[in-house]
Amino acid sequence: AGGVVGAFAARRVAERVGTARATLLFELGLALFALLIPLATDGAGVLFFVAGGFCVSAGVVAGNVIKASFQQRYCPPELLGRLTATTAFLNYGTIPLGALLGGALGTALGLRAAMWITTAGIPLAGVILLCSPVGRSRDLPTSRRGTRPESNGPRDPARESAPSAR
């Protein structure tokens, strides 16, 4: 449910506050609710898990919608496939490592301590973004600065610096 809400909210929030600020809101603001998850207990305490999971799911999906849109606008079309494949490899490739780390932490420190450590890591990506140029921007760039217009072939620096024969 959180993911569906995040997918629908991403565009509206980005239009209202800007794409960079919306990314921070989703990647940091909603990710902070992950800290509710380790507070879950029997009975009504399960609502902490539900609220934390809902917010994290909404934030991840909304952030992914904004990031994918940014990548499609910013990346040259001939490199988009490589960028997408590399991003997917890094994202999905770390899942087994996280599972192993979570299991090792749970065994060594106990489940509650492992949950605190792993959920505290979720907002870390947002903190990294906050400290980057994204944290000082309203919008993500829509094009690369200093790029040449499309040409019919590869760039030849020697040809560009030579005086024109015409």
Side-chain angles (χ1 to χ4, degrees), residues 1 39 47 74 88 99 110 126 128 130 132 146 157 166:
L39 298 174
L47 293 176
Y74 190 80
I128 292 169
L130 184 63
S132 76
R166 295 180 201 209

Side-chain angles (χ1 to χ4, degrees), residues 52-103:
F54 180 91
C55 289
V56 169
S57 297
V60 166
V61 171
N64 285 344
V65 167
I66 294 170
K67 286 182 283 187
S69 297
F70 163 71
Q71 289 174 343
Q72 290 170 356
R73 279 192 319 268
Y74 190 80
C75 183
E78 65 273 9
L79 297 178
L80 188 57
R82 292 181 210 169
L83 173 67
T84 304
T86 302
T87 302
F89 174 76
L90 291 173
N91 285 333
Y92 297 127
T94 58
I95 290 173
L97 299 175
L100 289 171
L101 177 62

Side-chain angles (χ1 to χ4, degrees), residues 11-55:
R11 181 176 170 198
R12 288 185 177 159
V13 173
E15 287 174 350
R16 178 167 286 211
V17 301
T19 54
R21 291 178 185 166
T23 301
L24 284 173
L25 173 70
F26 294 128
E27 297 287 334
L28 179 59
L30 288 179
L32 287 172
F33 286 90
L35 298 174
L36 293 176
I37 294 171
L39 298 174
T41 59
D42 291 339
V46 77
L47 293 176
F48 286 123
F49 179 82
V50 171
F54 180 91
C55 289

Side-chain angles (χ1 to χ4, degrees), residues 86-156:
T86 302
T87 302
F89 174 76
L90 291 173
N91 285 333
Y92 297 127
T94 58
I95 290 173
L97 299 175
L100 289 171
L101 177 62
L105 286 172
T107 301
L109 304 174
L111 294 179
R112 184 83 50 187
M115 287 175 59
W116 275 110
I117 292 168
T118 55
T119 56
I122 294 173
L124 184 59
V127 171
I128 292 169
L129 282 174
L130 184 63
C131 297
S132 76
V134 172
R136 297 181 297 280
S137 302
R138 181 186 191 284
D139 288 299
L140 297 171
T142 56
S143 64
R144 297 179 299 140
R145 287 188 208 135
T147 57
R148 303 178 320 113
E150 289 296 317
S151 65
N152 292 334
R155 183 172 170 243
D156 183 1

